Amino acid sequence: MNAADLRLPVDVPSTALFTDRYELTMVQAALRAGTADRRSVFEVFTRRLPHGRRYGVVGGIGRVLDAVENFRFDRGVLDFLAAQQIVDEPTLAWLADYRFRGDVWGYPEGEIYFPGSPIMRVEGTFAEAVLLETVILSILNHDSAVAAAASRMAVAAGDRPLIEMGARRTHELAAVAAARAAFVGGFSSTSDLAAGFRYNIPTVGTSAHAFTLLHDNERDAFTAQVASLGGTTTLLVDTYDVTEAVKMAVEVAGPQLGAVRIDSGDLLLLAHRVRQQLDDLGAQDTRIVVTSDLDEYAIASLAAAPVDAYGVGTQLVTGSGHPTCSMVYKLVARADSSGEDAPLRPVAKKSMGGKTSIGGRKWAARRVDADGVAEAEVVGTGEVPAELADRQLLVELVRRGEVVAREPLATARERHVRARAGLPLSATQLSRGEPVLPTEYVG
Amino acid sequence: MNAADLRLPVDVPSTALFTDRYELTMVQAALRAGTADRRSVFEVFTRRLPHGRRYGVVGGIGRVLDAVENFRFDRGVLDFLAAQQIVDEPTLAWLADYRFRGDVWGYPEGEIYFPGSPIMRVEGTFAEAVLLETVILSILNHDSAVAAAASRMAVAAGDRPLIEMGARRTHELAAVAAARAAFVGGFSSTSDLAAGFRYNIPTVGTSAHAFTLLHDNERDAFTAQVASLGGTTTLLVDTYDVTEAVKMAVEVAGPQLGAVRIDSGDLLLLAHRVRQQLDDLGAQDTRIVVTSDLDEYAIASLAAAPVDAYGVGTQLVTGSGHPTCSMVYKLVARADSSGEDAPLRPVAKKSMGGKTSIGGRKWAARRVDADGVAEAEVVGTGEVPAELADRQLLVELVRRGEVVAREPLATARERHVRARAGLPLSATQLSRGEPVLPTEYVG
């Protein structure tokens, strides 16, 4: 299924232009030099986690699969490339026929990663594989940053549900991807209708301060909301005086009031006070939702407070201080000549200035100790040791150009919970530290 | 012109779903209560700049105008809203007819803003204006964050051109908006083809390390690139040994070689060394482009180095530490009854917990001193003082639903340069400080 066929407002006709110009000029030069068809292996990995983070979370795999499928150069795009003289005629002809016909393996979505983990491996001719660099990195770097923040917030929230509310704090389409990545990382719902539409994530939301201010007084506003949305709605109680508002909310909606939302002030203090007040009013089942510039630390600090759900915006969609990952897409092996059977040779940048990498097509496995707890991320270029054969992390995603690994988003979400549960306990400390697993390279 | 008609890969059929669910439930409740038609004024402003920043830069106005024009609920969206029971039948019918018919005024794109500046004012019925909240904030918060980072980098770079290269570090469509905002803030070009396609921003790029690694040796790679892209291309010289590579680059391309690019290592040291080597080789006109995790501070630190252009990625598209602004969209005035002539009453949230705002429809002007240098951002709700009448900042953007303020992106870019030049000199210090202008409220 080509996502463009769905005519969804969050899709685009082609992903081919989400590409740095140099990918195309490299294709042109390689076509002319006769090297474009050399079989090549590119790998996505990161040299480090964001400072202090214990683990990374793979987000965006499903979106990468959409992007690879949609990566076509239509007439409008080719006309643009020609008019701008970005590439020459032979390259335009090659691009017109382009579709990716190679193979992609990768960590499945929701899986944990560490520095050096070969998160994705793209194999094909140089030209067909190099073209995908920019869009693959855009998706994985963005979505994994949000998924990692979501995972930390989910740890902090424990069993309490998390609501994604960050659309207004990020680009309108990044917001949709962020809601998706947040769901993978452990969030339960989103305020973003586009995310509900595109990814079937449950949507929530009832009213803002503007609704209260629109009406002649708070009672009119609550009455209007309850009349329309029912007594189990969530009433926002911090426009004027919280205590007055809670009293009025229960008067208007009755003790079956679904929830009250507090969006400002000292949330710890207010949650205790409002819980007591609700209980005294007989509204023991009315929940308390808090939503005010929360991050994982603020969530953790409310663990002992009578809070029933957290709404998180800014800090989620901006990766809680780390809005992007540092994933790169590197050529790690290539043939000396054209043809599918030409042997692959490991390659790597070698300059003194850093940014070096390890050549060769890699496998990865997570080694566990006698208790079944993960103890190392093992990455190698040779044979997989027998004892690690069934612990390998890369799965086949695209086979000769066909996507073979579609899955529901909930599957990725469940995988993440399992993967995180398999780490040492210190993985879920919020405090800064080293990656919770060492990465071991074997030849 | 409806942007959806252009069938561009960076547009979407409708922006109506880039909306938090509560906007729609508020419309439903207000329709039922008979308050949906109350004339209302919403304003976008921020209570603070990112820590230490001297000024903010308005980015995304042109994209907001596209979004307002495209904000329609088509059959697919309405079916989704019905199936999910997000709103009731009367609301669905109202949404089916929706188009924004109100007025929008705002700071023009590229203008400077400060805490409390009424960056945008949306006026219409409550229902038609509240719906636009999420998408307007998404665009302004994202694009202004990138424009502000770009502006600081442009100050640091002086007359040297800046190349936007951040596509791989952010969501693939956020990247397009980021390239646009970077151009407004002072960048000259982008690596992102979609940004070139959609916004006519010049695109640049030649090759990556993978191209060198693809070939049997660096000489073969350089020869292939020069054969295809010409002797004035930019050769990447840090795959193996920089000195060897520079020597080879000039041998292969001749002294007319356009540029060499250095993407790792000690850029200050390497730039001096490479400049000397190029000059010694007779390649005095060959430029040096540096591109390695630059931010405004790294750019400034290279001011005395023989660098000809900077490529910036991660730190630009993530707002150099501040990936979003804290702009909010608040109801500041509304009528007590329906009808266009009902008088407006200022409203504002008043709870003790913070997040208060100033009610009333506002004007803004930038007062200058005797030398013509800006000295205060003056914001008021009453009459505009005569001496500030020709220094007003808000311009008409949408009149009764029709966009009236389209402009070329270059106009916004030039406006930003002028606006920044009108600030006190300390505005362009990179070091942390207070907003360079105080905001004064007058009744």
Side-chain angles (χ1 to χ4, degrees), chain A residues 20 25 138 167 191 206 263 355, chain B residues 20 25 138 167 191 206 263 355:
Chain A
D20 286 328
T25 51
S138 289
S191 64
T206 58
D263 184 47
K355 294 193 182 175
Chain B
D20 286 329
T25 52
S138 290
S191 64
T206 57
D263 184 48
K355 293 193 184 178

Side-chain angles (χ1 to χ4, degrees), chain A residues 176-198:
Chain A
V176 182
R180 181 186 179 283
F183 188 77
V184 170
F187 275 55
S188 300
S189 59
T190 178
S191 64
D192 189 330
L193 291 171
F197 185 69
R198 177 65 182 86

Side-chain angles (χ1 to χ4, degrees), chain A residues 113-298:
Chain A
Y113 72 85
F114 295 94
S117 296
I119 294 161
M120 185 169 281
R121 188 175 72 213
V122 179
E123 193 161 349
T125 67
F126 174 80
E128 74 180 342
V130 77
L131 274 188
L132 300 177
E133 175 178 25
T134 312
V135 74
I136 286 178
L137 288 179
S138 289
I139 293 171
L140 294 179
N141 273 323
H142 173 268
D143 291 17
S144 299
V146 177
S151 175
R152 286 165 62 83
M153 292 169 182
V155 166
D159 292 334
R160 298 174 179 173
L162 288 160
I163 309 162
E164 188 283 307
M165 294 183 164
R168 65 191 56 196
R169 297 295 177 203
T170 187
H171 181 277
E172 65 276 20
L173 275 151
V176 182
R180 181 186 179 283
F183 188 77
V184 170
F187 275 55
S188 300
S189 59
T190 178
S191 64
D192 189 330
L193 291 171
F197 185 69
R198 177 65 182 86
Y199 296 117
N200 286 314
I201 301 169
T203 60
V204 297
T206 58
S207 63
H209 297 114
F211 188 79
T212 301
L213 296 173
L214 168 68
H215 291 88
D216 296 342
N217 53 60
E218 202 166 36
R219 183 178 297 272
D220 281 5
F222 287 179
T223 302
Q225 184 175 330
V226 169
S228 179
L229 303 179
T232 59
T233 191
T234 299
L235 291 170
L236 179 60
V237 293
D238 70 334
T239 305
Y240 304 110
D241 179 87
V242 173
T243 303
E244 286 291 308
V246 170
K247 177 165 173 282
M248 198 181 301
V250 177
E251 282 173 18
V252 169
Q256 84 274 28
L257 175 62
V260 296
R261 179 162 76 94
I262 310 170
D263 184 47
S264 58
D266 181 333
L267 298 178
L268 184 64
L269 180 76
L270 287 172
H272 280 288
R273 189 184 293 173
V274 168
R275 180 75 269 156
Q276 183 65 50
Q277 188 184 3
L278 287 169
D279 290 348
D280 291 347
L281 292 167
Q284 286 87 353
D285 294 334
T286 299
R287 296 177 309 126
I288 297 175
V289 182
V290 297
T291 59
S292 183
D293 284 335
L294 300 176
D295 62 11
E296 60 267 46
Y297 304 102

Side-chain angles (χ1 to χ4, degrees), chain A residues 25 44 103 120 175 241 296 318 341 418:
Chain A
T25 51
V44 174
D103 301 319
M120 185 169 281
D241 179 87
E296 60 267 46
T318 58
D341 299 329
R418 281 200 312 279

